[in-house]
Amino acid sequence: MREYLAVFGIALGVTYLLASIARLVAVRVGAQARVRDRDVHAVPTPYFGGPAMLGGLLAATLLAERLPFLGSADATVFHDVRAILAGGALICAVGVVDDLIELDALTKFAGQVLAGVVVVALGVQFVYLPLPGTFIGLDQAQAMLLTIVLIVGSANAVNFVDGLDGLAAGIVAIGAIAFFVFAFILAVENGETRAIAAAMLTVALAGVCLGILPHNFFPAKMFIGDSGSMLIGFVMACSSISLTGQFPPSSLAQGVGDADANFLPALLPLILPFMVLAIPFVDMVLAVVRRTRERRSPFSPDKMHLHHRLLEMGHSHPQAVLSMYAVAGLVAFGSVVVSLLSGWQSIVAFLVLLVLSGIAIILAPKLSSKVGP
């Protein structure tokens, strides 16, 4: 656990420092968000949070490779990590180009698919589909298709929800912490190695998301842009995919405290990205349905996202973000609790999370008054 904390710390610190440099570069090259009718910011704001976060992930990986415990598990950890970072660098580059010249939706989609293909080609993909009481092996075509669908869906979901200062980075940070807790506890309870690519990536992802927040939270000094939102959605999805390759389904039957976790831990790597990114995914589905019914492109922008509606209801900018954090935390950690506990323990734990989320939402107005106008 101490090595994971070190990885988290270096990811956070390097991202925080690189963000200042990235912001200056963005201003110099003109990569700034113009003020448009559908936006909520009032002044042009620089992009390039993505390259700063990618730098944080790379720094965290370099540190992890040199740590005694994680570094000794190179074959089981860093094969997947390097493959995911290669795809992440590609999708970040696509986002940087989009931040500079605004790519059309089809070109950006093609870049996302290509990043998914790179990851699959380097050996990171689903190897089985978990079902209640059993699992189904996947052939190469099925595994590739399922992997790419999850990657592209996650990248787009985070990109869609990135409409308020700090919203996307904060939600993904919450989801990454929840997934790290899930992966680590699952390994401990089932007697598997604690050196896991998914755990290393998600703890680093949480670090880079929290490292960018001082620059990105309201009032934002910089935006993470498409380069950042697609990157963190991509890494979140790939982390869950990597977990299924390291843990055979037969090793995922033990929950916490001798609880029978049945098929849920095996299923969770498939559904957890959708659960921890529930708000972005719901927002994306609603946007696609809304735009399709209006006979517009599903990727055409509008001002009808969930966060826009919260603002229209009278919530302040920070209050809307903090409220969505609370809901994201309930869904993410609630999913982990239900998967690893059973019986009355899972019910009690979920009720505690529900109460804490309710308190957080109630306190959001007071907290928002302290973090911004």
Side-chain angles (χ1 to χ4, degrees):
M1 179 61 78
R2 287 178 296 180
E3 293 192 0
Y4 283 124
L5 291 176
V7 170
F8 171 83
I10 199 70
L12 188 154
V14 169
T15 302
Y16 176 79
L17 294 175
L18 289 179
S20 297
I21 301 172
R23 185 170 71 245
L24 295 175
V25 173
V27 173
R28 181 68 62 88
V29 301
Q32 299 190 80
R34 303 186 306 275
V35 180
R36 300 165 296 187
D37 291 339
R38 64 185 173 91
D39 294 323
V40 296
H41 60 283
V43 297
T45 306
Y47 287 124
F48 285 6
M53 290 191 286
L54 180 62
L57 290 172
L58 292 173
T61 301
L62 291 174
L63 172 69
E65 288 177 335
R66 288 158 178 78
L67 293 175
F69 178 63
L70 289 174
S72 64
D74 183 83
T76 57
V77 175
F78 295 103
H79 171 270
D80 284 9
V81 170
R82 294 180 189 119
I84 292 167
L85 289 181
L90 176 57
I91 204 169
C92 183
V94 172
V96 167
V97 174
D98 184 65
D99 291 338
L100 285 169
I101 63 174
E102 288 199 45
L103 297 171
D104 62 89
L106 185 59
T107 301
K108 190 160 56 174
F109 178 76
Q112 296 167 352
V113 172
L114 180 59
V117 171
V118 167
V119 170
V120 172
L122 292 175
V124 179
Q125 63 182 36
F126 284 110
V127 293
Y128 59 84
L129 180 64
L131 295 173
T134 184
F135 65 93
I136 299 176
L138 301 173
D139 62 33
Q140 182 61 34
Q142 293 169 335
M144 182 176 181
L145 180 60
L146 180 60
T147 300
I148 293 176
V149 166
L150 182 59
I151 288 173
V152 173
S154 297
N156 277 297
V158 177
N159 191 28
F160 270 60
V161 83
D162 184 29
L164 295 180
D165 298 352
L167 181 58
I171 286 179
V172 174
I174 292 168
I177 293 170
F179 198 95
F180 170 77
V181 170
F182 166 74
F184 188 85
I185 292 179
L186 195 66
V188 172
E189 294 297 327
N190 287 278
E192 299 285 343
T193 177
R194 302 177 192 183
I196 312 166
M200 186 260 147
L201 280 168
T202 49
V203 78
L205 180 61
V208 301
C209 289
L210 294 178
I212 203 72
L213 273 182
H215 302 273
N216 184 234
F217 199 79
F218 184 82
K221 304 179 186 69
M222 71 182 303
F223 293 154
I224 63 174
D226 282 7
S227 61
S229 61
M230 292 194 301
L231 172 66
I232 58 181
F234 175 90
V235 174
M236 187 72 214
C238 290
S239 299
S240 68
I241 294 165
S242 172
L243 189 65
T244 65
Q246 183 158 2
F247 285 160
S250 59
S251 298
L252 302 180
Q254 185 64 51
V256 176
D258 295 327
D260 181 11
N262 53 67
F263 78 99
L264 274 177
L267 184 61
L268 207 59
L270 178 63
I271 65 172
L272 191 58
F274 293 95
M275 298 302 294
V276 302
L277 301 177
I279 292 176
F281 272 112
V282 169
D283 193 30
M284 180 179 69
V285 171
L286 291 176
V288 170
V289 172
R290 179 175 66 248
R291 295 164 187 172
T292 302
R293 290 179 62 183
E294 295 173 356
R295 297 183 179 180
R296 295 190 291 131
S297 166
F299 298 99
S300 61
D302 59 27
K303 203 171 183 178
M304 295 294 291
H305 290 286
L306 295 175
H307 48 272
H308 290 133
R309 298 185 183 187
L310 285 174
L311 295 178
E312 291 175 357
M313 291 168 59
H315 295 281
S316 69
H317 193 130
Q319 183 180 347
V321 172
L322 293 173
S323 297
M324 294 181 81
Y325 283 177
V327 175
L330 173 64
V331 175
F333 285 96
S335 301
V336 173
V337 163
V338 170
S339 71
L340 294 179
L341 297 175
S342 62
W344 66 269
Q345 293 175 320
S346 65
I347 297 175
V348 170
F350 187 81
L351 289 176
V352 170
L353 287 172
L354 184 62
V355 171
L356 291 176
S357 299
I359 293 173
I361 293 174
I362 292 172
L363 294 178
K366 296 181 180 179
L367 293 174
S368 64
S369 65
K370 297 180 180 180
V371 298

